[in-house]
Amino acid sequence: MEIFGNQAAFLEDYKRIVKTKDMTDEMIIDKVAESLPTAPNFQIIATSDETKLGQRICFPFKQEICSTDPDGVVTTRYIYVGSPFELDTKTDEQP
């Protein structure tokens, strides 16, 4: 069952980048679905400790609000919008 849009692509990217250990697809999806409503800019951030490359990685999503019911019921849907990217790290350039 698809919980958010483009879920298969997200899972593929997430497993390739994040240390998932013994996490099942359902566990990953549950974790993300729980985090998305309160995530800043609807971005799931994997810390450098969580990733295989030791870099902070952002997985971008977008939110769609729609009403498909004649009664005017509004629903919210999240969609993975593609390529994860590395977040810039700020370092002190002073010696």
Side-chain angles (χ1 to χ4, degrees):
M1 181 173 145
E2 188 169 272
I3 304 298
F4 50 83
N6 212 4
Q7 184 172 300
F10 169 77
L11 283 171
E12 182 180 324
D13 288 344
Y14 193 86
K15 288 182 201 176
R16 182 172 42 86
I17 295 170
V18 176
K19 301 174 198 170
T20 55
K21 300 177 189 170
D22 296 327
M23 293 180 74
T24 64
D25 289 355
E26 292 79 22
M27 293 169 74
I28 295 168
I29 292 166
D30 289 344
K31 176 183 172 184
V32 170
E34 184 178 299
S35 301
L36 273 173
T38 58
N41 298 321
F42 310 111
Q43 297 176 344
I44 299 299
I45 308 293
T47 65
S48 57
D49 293 336
E50 297 173 315
T51 64
K52 295 175 182 175
L53 300 174
Q55 300 166 328
R56 289 178 62 215
I57 303 292
C58 176
F59 296 90
F61 285 79
K62 71 177 179 176
Q63 179 187 43
E64 287 186 351
I65 298 174
C66 56
S67 175
T68 56
D69 193 317
D71 295 334
V73 175
V74 176
T75 57
T76 301
R77 182 168 190 244
Y78 298 97
I79 300 169
Y80 178 59
V81 292
S83 302
F85 57 91
E86 179 183 351
L87 293 173
D88 292 332
T89 56
K90 296 180 182 177
T91 58
D92 187 4
E93 295 183 12
Q94 297 288 330

